[in-house]
């Protein structure tokens, strides 16, 4: 029987929560250590303060992550909330933000967000 081999030269982590502050500095380098060159950043989680709801916040957070480890490509997201406007989503897309994410309250600990 023939054996098929599949090689993934540069896997991507499509669900990372990189936290903030000193915890982010501790966690972020583990993306590369884990063998990943690309990360879909889910710091939209509303149990972090503040969730990323604007293009400016997403770009600032991306800059923070790149300062910790510039060898990883960070794909940024916005927190999908009732306050997120179509205009902000269009602005985010133009700036390179790749998506939105929403976590239902029952999946979130310590949250008072909508």
């Amino acid at each position: 029987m023939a054996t098929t081999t599949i090689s993934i030269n540069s896997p991507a982590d499509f669900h990372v929560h990189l936290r903030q502050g000193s915890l982010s500095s501790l966690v972020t380098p583990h993306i590369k250590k884990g063998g990943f060159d690309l990360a879909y950043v889910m710091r939209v989680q509303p149990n972090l303060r503040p969730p990323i709801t604007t293009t400016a916040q997403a770009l600032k957070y991306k800059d923070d992550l790149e300062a910790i480890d510039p060898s990883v490509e960070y794909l940024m997201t916005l927190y999908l909330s009732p306050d997120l406007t179509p205009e902000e989503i269009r602005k985010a897309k133009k700036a390179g933000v790749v998506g939105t994410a929403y976590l239902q309250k029952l999946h979130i600990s310590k949250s008072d967000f909508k």
Side-chain angles (χ1 to χ4, degrees):
M1 179 154 80
T3 302
T4 302
T5 301
I6 298 174
S7 296
I8 301 173
N9 297 327
S10 181
D13 188 335
F14 274 84
H15 190 111
V16 295
H17 297 273
L18 299 175
R19 308 303 179 199
Q20 58 200 129
S22 61
L23 191 52
S24 183
S25 295
L26 177 69
V27 172
T28 301
H30 288 277
I31 296 169
K32 192 68 163 187
K33 289 177 184 177
F36 298 101
D37 293 324
L38 185 140
Y40 192 82
V41 180
M42 301 291 290
R43 187 174 175 273
V44 298
Q45 192 172 350
N47 58 342
L48 297 172
R49 309 278 187 214
I52 297 205
T53 58
T54 69
T55 304
Q57 289 172 321
L59 296 178
K60 168 70 170 96
Y61 190 53
K62 183 177 183 179
D63 287 345
D64 294 345
L65 297 173
E66 288 173 339
I68 297 167
D69 187 350
S71 69
V72 173
E73 180 180 357
Y74 302 96
L75 302 180
M76 305 309 291
T77 61
L78 298 179
Y79 175 57
L80 184 59
S81 72
D83 298 326
L84 185 59
T85 65
E87 293 78 22
E88 187 65 32
I89 292 173
R90 283 190 282 277
K91 180 180 174 183
K93 180 181 178 184
K94 286 181 184 177
V97 175
V98 298
T100 62
Y102 176 76
L103 297 174
Q104 295 179 349
K105 278 190 175 188
L106 62 108
H107 296 288
I108 302 167
S109 59
K110 303 177 189 170
S111 177
D112 58 358
F113 286 87
K114 301 175 197 168

